[in-house]
Amino acid sequence: MTSTPAPGHAAIIGFGLMGCDIAAIFLAGGWRVTAVEPDRASWPTRLDRVTLSLSQLGGAARRVDALDLVASLDDAGFADADVVIEAVPEKLEMKRAVFAELDRLVPAGIPIATNASGFRVTDIAEGCATAARMANLHFFLPAHLVPGVEVVKGERTAEATCERLAEIMAGLGRVPIRVARDVPGFLANRIQHAMVREAFNCIDEGLATPEDVDKAVRFTFGMRIMGAGPILQKELAGLETQVAAASTIYPSLTNRTAPGPTIMGLVEAGKLGAKTGEGFWHWTPESTKEARAKYERMLLAALELLKREG
C-alpha cells in the first residue's frame, strides 16, 4: 500500500488564478509553498485570492504564513523543494523558457510538472536534459474546487515521476487521473470538447438556444455524471442500449474539424464573454461576480457530496 506523503515544500512558478488555487491546495494540506511571481504589484491581489480559496476549502483559520512570494527563480528555494509546478500563461515559448531554467536550477530527483492545458509536456520539455522527471499535472479551474488532476506522461517521462506526482496529489485529497500518452487534450478535455463541439453545433443548427443547451446538460446527464461516469452508466443500463442509440444518433452528429460559425462570429467581433461584457449574453462586473459566486457555490456543494460518497 502506498503511504501518504508527509507535507513538504512546493515551488509554484507563475501566480495567476491557477497558480493561486494550486498554492491553496498545498497550503490546505499543510505544505509550505514558495510562489514565483515577477509582478510585485499583483502580490496583494494574489494573496487575497489564496486566502479566499483557503477559506472555501475549510481553512478560514489557516494563515498564509506558509506561503513565500518571490520575484525570481533564483530565490525559489529549489534545494529543499519536493515538487515544482509551472503555472505560467499558456504560451509555448514561455513555458519552454521556464522549463529550460528549471532543468538547470532544480536539483536532480525533484519532479517538475507543467500545468499546461493544451500543450504537450513532451514539447515543453524539448531539449531538457532531465525530461524524465518532467510531466504534466493538469488542474481544472477553479483548481481548488475541482478534485480531478490529470497526470500526463510525456514521451520521455519516467513512470516513477508519474507515480510520485499521483502520490502527492492523492495525499492532498485530489483525484489523480493517469493519462498514459501525451496527446492533444490529454483525456478529460478530449471528452469534454467532443460534447462542447456538439453543443455549439446545436446552436448553429437552430436546434436550441444557448440557455436550453445549458439546461439540457445541467439537468439531465450532467446530474447523472455526478453519480457515475459515462462508462459505468452504460454498463449499468446495458451496453446493448448504448449500441442501439449510438447507431441511430452518431450519423447525425457533427464531425467538423474547426470551430463552428456562431462561436467564430462572436470571437471575431470581439465578443468573448464575461471578460468583454458580451458573448452569448450581456455582462456587467456585478453580474459576472454573481455568476462566478453561484458557480463556485455549486462546485463546493458537489465537492462535499463527492467527499461523503468517497
Side-chain angles (χ1 to χ4, degrees), residues 25-192:
I25 292 169
F26 279 94
L27 291 168
W31 284 57
R32 181 165 61 89
V33 174
T34 301
V36 180
E37 174 51 63
D39 182 11
R40 292 177 181 272
S42 71
W43 287 9
T45 301
R46 304 307 188 206
L47 288 171
D48 287 344
R49 174 65 192 189
V50 174
T51 302
L52 172 62
S53 298
L54 274 172
S55 70
Q56 290 177 319
L57 290 174
R62 182 184 298 278
R63 302 175 66 191
V64 293
D65 290 353
L67 169 65
D68 291 320
L69 270 170
V70 298
S72 168
L73 287 174
D74 292 328
D75 299 322
F78 293 128
D80 68 344
D82 295 282
V83 65
V84 178
I85 300 174
E86 168 270 307
V88 303
E90 193 79 358
K91 298 177 181 178
L92 181 57
E93 290 310 313
M94 181 183 293
K95 289 181 179 291
R96 278 179 169 167
V98 170
F99 261 61
E101 286 295 293
L102 297 176
D103 188 36
R104 178 177 63 87
L105 292 172
V106 180
I110 299 172
I112 300 172
T114 179
N115 179 48
S117 59
F119 298 122
R120 302 191 317 148
V121 67
T122 301
D123 299 326
I124 294 170
E126 184 179 280
C128 290
T130 63
R133 47 108 172 240
M134 297 173 175
N136 191 350
L137 270 184
H138 181 216
F139 295 82
F140 296 82
L141 275 172
H144 64 303
L145 299 182
V146 179
V149 183
E150 291 180 317
V151 183
V152 185
K153 186 177 186 294
E155 292 176 8
R156 295 169 60 196
T157 308
E159 185 64 28
T161 300
C162 294
E163 290 289 346
R164 175 58 180 157
L165 291 171
E167 179 185 46
I168 291 171
M169 289 297 102
L172 290 166
R174 304 289 104 181
V175 179
I177 301 162
R178 297 292 296 269
V179 184
R181 288 189 292 115
D182 197 8
V183 297
F186 321 129
L187 178 59
N189 272 341
R190 292 178 73 87
I191 299 168
Q192 177 179 239

Side-chain angles (χ1 to χ4, degrees), residues 246-283:
S247 298
T248 301
I249 298 169
Y250 282 10
S252 67
L253 297 178
T254 184
N255 62 357
R256 68 169 78 244
T257 58
T262 303
I263 189 171
M264 284 302 300
L266 288 171
V267 170
E268 289 168 358
K271 299 177 180 179
L272 309 181
K275 66 170 65 176
T276 59
E278 186 176 0
F280 285 100
W281 298 282
H282 290 279
W283 296 93

